[in-house]
Amino acid sequence: YQGDSVVVGGTLQIDGSVSSNVYSEINGTVAGSGSIVGNLINRGTTQAGSWGTSGNLSIQGDLVSSGIIAVTVEDSGSNSQILVNGKAEVAGSKITTYGIVIPNARYQFLSATQGITGDFVATSISPFLSLNPTHDANIASFLVNKTASLTSVNNLNGSQQISADEL
C-alpha cells in the first residue's frame, strides 16, 4: 500500500517494515520489533516488541510522542527499546510497564541520534512503586521508585507482617 498508516483503534504490529509515516491516535497502538521508514507520531500507545515479549522498534525518522510508551521487561531483566534515527520530542508522554520491574533499578527504553526534548510524566504503577523517567541528550530511561513499603498495608497477620518486613 501507499501512504501513511493511521491507527485509531486496535494494534498495528510492525515486525517487518513500513515505508511511511505512522500515526498512533487515542485508543490506537503501534507495536513490534520492525522498522518505520518515516516518522512516528504517538498520541495513543507505542510499544517496542510484542505483548509480553521485549524487542526493538526502529524509527528511521523522528518520534513525536504525547501518548503512552509501553516498556516490556523480561524476567531476565532485559527490556524493550525504541531506537530513533532522528529526533524524539516526548513532552507529556507517560511510561507504563509490562512484566516485573525491580525497585531502584534503571531501565533504558529510548535512544535518539539527533536528541531528545521535552519532559515525561512520572507515573505510579502500584501503591508501592512509581516510575521516574528522565533523559539526557540522546538516551531516556526510568528509575523504579519504591513509594511505600509493604509494612504500610493494614491488617496483616503475623506471618504476612514478617514477610512484608523482609521485602
Side-chain angles (χ1 to χ4, degrees):
Y1 67 92
Q2 292 182 319
D4 293 344
S5 299
V6 180
V7 185
V8 177
T11 301
L12 173 60
Q13 181 78 25
I14 302 171
D15 288 322
S17 65
V18 173
S19 295
S20 65
N21 295 323
V22 177
Y23 295 82
S24 172
E25 298 295 338
I26 295 172
N27 297 323
T29 300
V30 172
S33 296
S35 180
I36 297 170
V37 184
N39 300 316
L40 172 59
I41 312 303
N42 178 39
R43 294 181 192 101
T45 301
T46 295
Q47 177 184 346
S50 302
W51 302 112
T53 304
S54 65
N56 294 334
L57 180 63
S58 297
I59 302 167
Q60 299 307 312
D62 296 335
L63 168 66
V64 177
S65 178
S66 60
I68 296 168
I69 296 175
V71 180
T72 299
V73 179
E74 302 270 355
D75 292 343
S76 66
S78 64
N79 62 276
S80 56
Q81 295 193 43
I82 300 172
L83 310 173
V84 181
N85 191 22
K87 300 176 292 194
E89 167 55 54
V90 298
S93 294
K94 291 184 179 181
I95 308 303
T96 190
T97 59
Y98 299 107
I100 298 173
V101 294
I102 307 298
N104 302 316
R106 183 170 294 281
Y107 299 88
Q108 178 181 319
F109 64 91
L110 171 67
S111 65
T113 60
Q114 296 179 23
I116 301 173
T117 59
D119 291 321
F120 295 99
V121 176
T123 309
S124 287
I125 58 172
S126 79
F128 307 103
L129 299 174
S130 67
L131 305 178
N132 182 24
T134 60
H135 66 81
D136 61 18
N138 300 93
I139 303 292
S141 62
F142 63 84
L143 177 65
V144 181
N145 292 319
K146 190 173 178 182
T147 56
S149 69
L150 291 176
T151 58
S152 65
V153 176
N154 294 327
N155 301 320
L156 296 178
N157 66 33
S159 176
Q160 292 170 327
Q161 186 66 46
I162 291 169
S163 296
D165 289 341
E166 293 301 314
L167 295 174

